[in-house]
Amino acid sequence: MTVPARLPIVQAPMAGGPSTPELAAAVTGAGGFGYVAAGYLSPDALRTALDRTRALTAAPVGVNVFVPGRPNADGAAIANYAASLQPEAERLGAPLGEPRWEDDAYPAKLDLLARAGVHTVSFTFGCPTADVVARLHSAGVRVAVTVTSADEATTAAAAGADSLVVQGTEAGGHQGTFAGVTPNRASLNEALASVRAVADLPLVATGGIMTAADAVAAMEAGAVAVQIGTALLCTPEAGTSAPYRRALLERRYSETVVTRAFSGRWARGLANRFAVEHADAPAGYPQIHHLTRPLRAAAAQAGDPDVPNLWAGTGWSAITDDDAATIVRRIAAGL
């Protein structure tokens, strides 16, 4: 087993609000493995989140970190996109954000996690260097890397990863592709098959897993555990905003779409107005994330679900507002 849990169920780290210490502790308490999402948090906020999680559970937990990309986005394309968003900003009475590149405090977070005593650090948006992996290993920390293809799996294995989180295109939220240039179109089963062919490591499957049947299928395809995210979005322990919850539970939008409209990186979410109207958004993460963030925050504050990112996987229509333990145990009961 790649995670120290009674059940082969992992809580997806959903940065930006949904992941909370309460959610990680609830999943862990039900027999799964909980994650703290470090993305978008300052190192001090990450330390606080870890302290709060440990106050709620004595069980081992993991932390997920974003691997920074290169600051090579097309400035002219981003400026044109910003101009197209000005009417939305005026409607909401909110300024556009500064489309800046930053590394999400990656070095400082690694320094913290090398001495924080967590069980696992997982990485997404890229692969840590072999030196980073070795440093974490020397601190007794296991390393997992999110991959979507055989090439990415080969790179992660060569860097020394202990396990791979294999993500299919069905997954909600940001796709974990290393380059992030083209959307991942490989289904979870296709991704598992291609990764199994090149990497002899434990595989955690993620993408569209909402039910016990989904989990069984992924484990029959070679995964040792499954990672669930969308299924937990409407739990009372999640930090999901009120308009986001209502959009999911009331089935306000009929489908999901893979888009760069909100962050400049491919991600799957409900096809709300903003996602549909800005289907031609350019690449540029995290520049576009910062550009649109004030608009998304203002809309969420106003209770408007048509503008914020509403990340959700393809199985989202099976969502419930049950508590996290109930969802974990429901999936586990069918394994």
Side-chain angles (χ1 to χ4, degrees), residues 132-146:
V132 167
V133 175
R135 181 184 180 191
L136 291 171
H137 281 166
S138 68
V141 180
R142 292 177 178 267
V143 173
V145 178
T146 302

Side-chain angles (χ1 to χ4, degrees), residues 32-80:
F33 185 70
Y35 262 100
V36 173
Y40 310 128
L41 297 182
S42 69
D44 285 345
L46 173 57
R47 184 180 297 106
T48 298
L50 276 171
D51 289 345
R52 172 62 178 162
T53 304
R54 286 177 168 139
L56 295 170
T57 177
V61 295
V63 175
N64 177 256
V65 177
F66 293 169
V67 177
R70 297 178 180 177
N72 57 355
D74 185 335
I78 292 175
N80 288 337

Side-chain angles (χ1 to χ4, degrees), residues 81 169 171-175 180-185 255-285 288-289 292 296 307-312:
Y81 187 51
T169 189
H174 283 108
Q175 297 189 334
V181 177
T182 57
N184 171 36
R185 303 192 187 281
E255 60 185 357
T256 63
V257 63
V258 176
T259 180
R260 290 191 298 213
F262 302 99
S263 72
R265 206 177 207 286
W266 296 110
R268 184 180 293 280
L270 296 180
N272 63 1
R273 178 177 61 78
F274 195 94
V276 171
E277 289 183 354
H278 301 291
D280 58 350
Y285 180 87
I288 290 175
H289 162 76
T292 67
R296 294 180 280 127
V307 175
N309 52 290
L310 306 174
W311 301 146

